[in-house]
Amino acid sequence: PEAKSPGDSSGELAELEEFSLTGIDDIFNKSSREEAGAPGTGPQKEAVEKVEEILLNNEEVSQLQKTLASYPLNLRIACEEVIAEQVVVPHQMSSLVKLLVRGAPAKETASLVGKILGRTISIPKGFEKKTGEALELEQASFPYIFAHKFLPILRLVMFIVLTALSLIYLIYRFVFIPAQADSIYQAGYERIEAGEFARANDRFSEAFRMHPVKNWFYRYAEAFRDRRQYIYAEEKYDELLRYYPRDKKGALDYADLETNYLKNYSKADTIIRRNILDYSVDDREGLLALGDTNLAWGEIDDTRYEEARRAYARLLERYGWQDPIVERMMKYFIRTDDLGQVIPLQDYFLNSSQKRKISPETLAELGGYLLDKRFEEARGVPNEYLDRIDGIRDILLKAVVEDPSLPEAHYHLARYYSRYGYASDERQTLSMAVGAFDTAPEKSAKRVEYRIDALRRYAQVLINAREFFPAEEQITKGINLYEDGVSRRLLSPSPQFGRLYADLGDLEYFTKDGNMEAAIQYYSRSERSGWAPPEVQYRMGSAYYHLQQWGPALERFFNAAVEMPQNRQLLYALGNTAYMRGDYHTAQGYFTRLLDILDKDRTRFPLLSPNDTPEHMELAERLMVTQNNQGVTMEALAEQSGNNGYRSRALGLYAESARAWDAITRNPETMVRAGAMALSTPGVNLAYLNSRNALNPVPDYEPQIYLHIDKDIFESSPWESLAPADYRLSDEITFYQ
């Protein structure tokens, strides 16, 4: 028959109708023939086994046929072969028939038939044919319903539930929690900008417990650093290195904080060594950072420069002559003032046929160094490489072009213009430098120092242009930066920055309405900062003098006289102050010394022509006021000691002073001179009045001195052309009752 698929039930029914077991009746009578010794059965055994007689009724035959019909085709054919050919021993045939009548499973029947035929009868996997009634009974049973209906649905439901739960967990774990943590991180970060630093730290801790993110350590630390909350920044870097050991970026950023902001070079050096170089001794970034840290450290401890050199030398040995490494080595030679090594490296970068890369920052530092060396005061044998210094302006301009936002380039270029007298270029460049400093990050203490000095220089340029109020704004801004740097220990008190207070005091002293108290306050702050040269001491004494505080004035004048003992302005101020204190002998000494100096100056001119020569006018004025004041001092000594010799000397000085006054005030064309009018009139000849009173005393008259003193100690003061009013002696001869 044609093979049918196991699932084709209609084909199987048709096949059952055509299928028959040939000789089935003979099988049922076989046992009786064997007992009777029927012919044709072969030789008889001596002992014939008794075989159970197989008798089947109609129902059993029907069951046998149903069983055969339920088997797969190959098994049915094998069963037909065994039964039809009757080549099997009786007890095996009996076992086969019993299996078929019993409705044994196909697998069990196939095992027996295979033994009989001597080959394997394969059964399709999962093939099992049952009767419709058995199938209905089986399908109605709980195990069948559970296995074939409930379990598939349960498996599907469980699969959907598990998939949903897994998806929910994944979304919660990798989407919701990171998003929630990120929002908390961001909220804490915004608290830093609002100044709520402790609250920001709490938010960070909350977010970190929820979902650790390494990058937020960097952002928080940098934000704390920019808000100058350095303790919080250090804590963040410490936490970062605790949770993420050997994190290179964290270690490098931490070292940069300690080096450039806190100036804790020792800690920065330790951080780099322990977190980077202890694990990788030749790490390029680690060695560069170590060299940079020790290079900065060398500014306060020059023994650390050697550590920087070792780090750079190791880099050159390990990685070769790479431009960034050579650039740092050149900075090392600049800091150690080795001009002989700097010049060849300058040629390496700027005069080489190959295009070398050098940063604008290093170009600016190189230009500033070469500028300082060019105008350095030579001590001993001049440096043999000074003549090779060239191209300073080109170096600084190259730095400006490559990075216009770099403030140091503008600053050093302005210094260059100042040195070479390019006033207009200096002003423009200083203005650009101040603007660049305002927008540039603080970065280092050196940058803060340059910024303050740029503000001071710009203020001086504005003062020279008589723009006093803008100049005051620049000086005040520089003072605020300086005080802030000192409070943060970024800067140390320095005479260089103390000049800012003196500059502000000068504005009060020279250009305003004589606010001497404010001037003294600024000068005192300058002195506390270490900036108190003779000119500042003199101006403080002059301010006290105008306030009629003779004791402090004399002290300040004396401090200035230690360094400038022969200064004419200073000797005159000392004499006047001593006289006003009633110390006549001291005043006499200062006036006598001053007259000796003036007489020596007088001998240089055969004839004084005050109205024709400014130098003669200045000398005649000083002779006039000094001789008069010395004469008054002599009169006071005469009254004090009763020695009339002092009075005689006073009359002689009055006569000399009167002649000087006559030469100063007489018009050379009309020969008319100013008359003696009221005492408040500048044209009054005090020497004449004093001598007249000495010869013909007037009740209640006291000899008068010229109280005015010079505002500045310099013979030719730069303020003479800047102050709102000229303060020469000839224009300010005043006296007090």
Side-chain angles (χ1 to χ4, degrees):
E2 183 180 355
K4 303 290 183 180
S5 62
D8 191 354
S9 58
S10 60
E12 290 176 358
L13 292 175
E15 188 178 17
L16 286 174
E17 293 177 357
E18 298 176 359
F19 180 75
S20 62
L21 294 177
T22 307
I24 188 75
D25 295 332
D26 295 336
I27 293 174
F28 298 147
N29 297 323
K30 183 178 180 180
S31 58
S32 60
R33 289 199 305 268
E34 288 177 351
E35 290 176 359
T41 59
Q44 299 288 326
K45 292 183 179 180
E46 293 181 0
V48 179
E49 294 181 1
K50 292 184 178 180
V51 179
E52 182 181 357
E53 184 178 1
I54 300 175
L55 298 175
L56 299 176
N57 55 30
N58 293 333
E59 183 178 353
E60 289 174 337
V61 173
S62 177
Q63 180 62 37
L64 183 146
Q65 291 176 343
K66 288 182 179 180
T67 301
L68 284 173
S70 66
Y71 288 162
L73 180 59
N74 60 337
L75 181 57
R76 292 201 303 268
I77 294 173
C79 291
E80 177 185 0
E81 181 181 350
V82 171
I83 296 172
E85 294 181 2
Q86 302 181 16
V87 294
V88 64
V89 294
H91 73 276
Q92 289 179 335
M93 180 66 74
S94 175
S95 298
L96 176 59
V97 171
K98 289 180 179 180
L99 289 176
L100 295 173
V101 172
R102 181 165 55 84
K107 188 174 182 180
E108 185 177 353
T109 303
S111 177
L112 177 60
V113 173
K115 290 180 180 180
I116 296 173
L117 297 177
R119 66 175 186 267
T120 301
I121 307 299
S122 61
I123 302 298
K125 188 176 181 180
F127 184 88
E128 184 176 6
K129 292 293 184 179
K130 293 184 171 61
T131 62
E133 183 180 356
L135 182 59
E136 290 178 0
L137 291 175
E138 183 179 2
Q139 289 178 346
S141 65
F142 176 76
Y144 184 90
I145 295 173
F146 182 81
H148 292 83
K149 294 184 179 181
F150 179 75
L151 280 182
I153 297 175
L154 180 62
R155 283 195 298 268
L156 179 61
V157 171
M158 290 299 295
F159 174 77
I160 294 173
V161 170
L162 289 176
T163 302
L165 290 176
S166 299
L167 185 61
I168 292 172
Y169 173 77
L170 292 175
I171 293 174
Y172 177 77
R173 180 68 180 82
F174 296 104
V175 178
F176 177 77
I177 289 182
Q180 183 70 13
D182 189 74
S183 66
I184 298 174
Y185 279 125
Q186 187 64 38
Y189 187 79
E190 292 172 356
R191 292 301 89 207
I192 298 177
E193 297 299 324
E196 301 176 11
F197 307 115
R199 178 59 178 164
N201 250 351
D202 294 339
R203 300 294 282 176
F204 179 90
S205 300
E206 178 185 353
F208 186 77
R209 288 192 298 269
M210 184 181 297
H211 182 63
V213 179
K214 183 167 64 174
N215 286 338
W216 278 108
F217 280 103
Y218 305 137
R219 296 187 62 184
Y220 269 69
E222 291 166 2
F224 283 131
R225 180 201 65 194
D226 294 340
R227 292 301 301 272
R228 301 175 182 174
Q229 299 298 313
Y230 300 120
I231 294 178
Y232 285 113
E234 287 183 304
E235 289 178 355
K236 277 291 160 285
Y237 284 125
D238 286 332
E239 291 177 14
L240 171 65
L241 295 178
R242 183 168 66 250
Y243 289 111
Y244 304 96
R246 299 173 58 183
D247 181 75
K248 182 188 291 188
K249 175 175 170 52
L252 293 175
D253 290 351
Y254 196 179
D256 179 74
L257 171 70
E258 299 295 337
T259 298
N260 295 318
Y261 293 88
L262 299 179
K263 305 303 178 186
N264 193 346
Y265 303 112
S266 176
K267 185 174 182 180
D269 184 274
T270 302
I271 290 170
I272 296 169
R273 293 182 189 275
R274 289 185 178 177
N275 294 279
I276 300 177
L277 297 180
D278 283 354
Y279 303 100
S280 179
V281 294
D282 289 330
D283 184 86
R284 186 176 184 275
E285 289 75 14
L287 286 173
L288 285 174
L290 183 66
D292 294 345
T293 296
N294 283 276
L295 195 64
W297 195 353
E299 295 181 7
I300 60 174
D301 181 6
D302 55 9
T303 61
R304 302 306 303 184
Y305 281 130
E306 179 61 20
E307 289 296 324
R309 187 199 64 78
R310 289 179 181 176
Y312 297 146
R314 188 178 185 90
L315 283 165
L316 289 173
E317 180 182 358
R318 177 67 177 80
Y319 299 99
W321 275 58
Q322 298 180 1
D323 289 347
I325 304 173
V326 180
E327 178 182 337
R328 283 172 166 81
M329 187 63 83
M330 184 172 70
K331 292 173 68 175
Y332 160 77
F333 289 124
I334 291 174
R335 305 284 177 86
T336 56
D337 193 16
D338 192 345
L339 184 60
Q341 296 292 341
V342 172
I343 296 297
L345 292 179
Q346 176 190 351
D347 295 337
Y348 171 84
F349 282 106
L350 302 178
N351 300 326
S352 174
S353 58
Q354 299 181 9
K355 189 175 181 179
R356 307 289 185 182
K357 291 184 179 179
I358 182 171
S359 67
E361 292 85 353
T362 303
L363 282 173
E365 184 172 355
L366 174 62
Y369 170 73
L370 295 178
L371 181 64
D372 291 336
K373 295 300 292 183
R374 168 64 71 185
F375 293 97
E376 182 181 51
E377 181 181 354
R379 295 181 180 180
V381 179
N383 194 314
E384 60 180 318
Y385 295 97
L386 288 176
D387 294 337
R388 295 181 58 184
I389 295 177
D390 191 21
I392 298 175
R393 182 173 178 272
D394 294 337
I395 292 172
L396 294 173
L397 285 175
K398 181 178 175 63
V400 170
V401 171
E402 290 189 2
D403 188 359
S405 65
L406 182 65
E408 287 84 356
H410 298 286
Y411 168 75
H412 290 303
L413 186 59
R415 290 177 57 225
Y416 173 87
Y417 289 138
S418 175
R419 282 289 188 177
Y420 286 96
Y422 300 109
S424 60
D425 291 334
E426 179 190 6
R427 173 168 182 164
Q428 182 180 2
T429 308
L430 278 173
S431 177
M432 296 174 65
V434 170
F437 277 121
D438 289 341
T439 58
E442 187 176 88
K443 194 174 181 179
S444 66
K446 180 64 71 176
R447 172 167 287 184
V448 177
E449 294 175 1
Y450 287 155
R451 183 182 184 186
I452 296 173
D453 191 57
L455 290 168
R456 189 189 66 80
R457 288 174 176 272
Y458 189 41
Q460 290 298 322
V461 170
L462 294 174
I463 289 172
N464 292 335
R466 301 180 65 85
E467 300 177 25
F468 301 119
F469 289 108
E472 184 178 7
E473 292 178 1
Q474 299 301 318
I475 295 172
T476 303
K477 185 177 180 181
I479 288 174
N480 292 336
L481 288 171
Y482 168 60
E483 292 178 346
D484 176 71
V486 171
S487 67
R488 293 188 289 124
R489 295 184 300 175
L490 186 65
L491 302 175
S492 300
S494 169
Q496 174 188 357
F497 303 124
R499 295 182 64 178
L500 292 165
Y501 298 111
D503 292 341
L504 210 54
D506 289 342
L507 288 175
E508 295 286 349
Y509 181 77
F510 287 108
T511 66
K512 294 191 177 180
D513 297 331
N515 189 349
M516 296 302 171
E517 292 87 351
I520 290 172
Q521 291 178 2
Y522 288 126
Y523 287 139
S524 298
R525 295 171 72 177
S526 173
E527 185 179 34
R528 288 194 296 270
S529 297
W531 180 255
E535 60 270 23
V536 172
Q537 293 289 341
Y538 180 87
R539 291 165 191 169
M540 291 181 70
S542 177
Y544 281 120
Y545 183 88
H546 282 81
L547 296 174
Q548 300 185 17
Q549 299 181 24
W550 316 118
L554 189 62
E555 179 183 355
R556 296 298 177 178
F557 288 143
F558 182 78
N559 291 341
V562 172
E563 297 186 36
M564 303 178 71
Q566 301 299 316
N567 183 270
R568 298 187 303 171
Q569 290 92 327
L570 186 54
L571 289 172
Y572 178 73
L574 282 167
N576 271 20
T577 307
Y579 173 81
M580 297 304 297
R581 286 193 67 193
D583 193 350
Y584 304 126
H585 284 286
T586 302
Q588 178 199 8
Y590 288 125
F591 285 137
T592 300
R593 186 185 304 173
L594 176 58
L595 285 172
D596 291 340
I597 295 173
L598 294 175
D599 287 337
K600 290 180 181 179
D601 292 341
R602 172 68 181 82
T603 59
R604 294 186 295 113
F605 309 112
L607 178 65
L608 281 179
S609 303
N611 294 289
D612 297 330
T613 307
E615 185 180 4
H616 292 189
M617 175 64 76
E618 192 270 342
L619 179 58
E621 289 175 347
R622 292 197 179 279
L623 281 169
M624 179 188 69
V625 297
T626 306
Q627 288 165 346
N628 176 79
N629 291 4
Q630 176 74 311
V632 174
T633 304
M634 290 297 182
E635 275 204 83
L637 286 172
E639 293 290 337
Q640 190 178 64
S641 64
N643 186 348
N644 286 328
Y646 288 123
R647 184 170 283 106
S648 299
R649 176 60 180 153
L651 291 171
L653 290 168
Y654 289 150
E656 294 175 3
S657 176
R659 283 194 297 271
W661 180 89
D662 183 71
I664 293 172
T665 58
R666 186 181 297 275
N667 190 311
E669 296 179 359
T670 63
M671 298 303 292
V672 177
R673 58 179 175 82
M677 296 178 290
L679 293 180
S680 60
T681 303
V684 170
N685 186 346
L686 291 185
Y688 168 75
L689 297 177
N690 291 333
S691 63
R692 187 178 63 178
N693 180 73
L695 295 174
N696 299 295
V698 176
D700 299 329
Y701 178 85
E702 295 183 3
Q704 303 297 313
I705 70 169
Y706 292 103
L707 279 173
H708 170 83
I709 62 174
D710 296 272
K711 275 196 169 183
D712 207 359
I713 197 173
F714 296 117
E715 292 288 345
S716 179
S717 173
W719 285 97
E720 290 180 358
S721 61
L722 298 176
D726 196 356
Y727 52 87
R728 293 180 303 154
L729 286 173
S730 60
D731 295 334
E732 297 189 22
I733 298 175
T734 58
F735 53 90
Y736 301 92
Q737 293 284 358

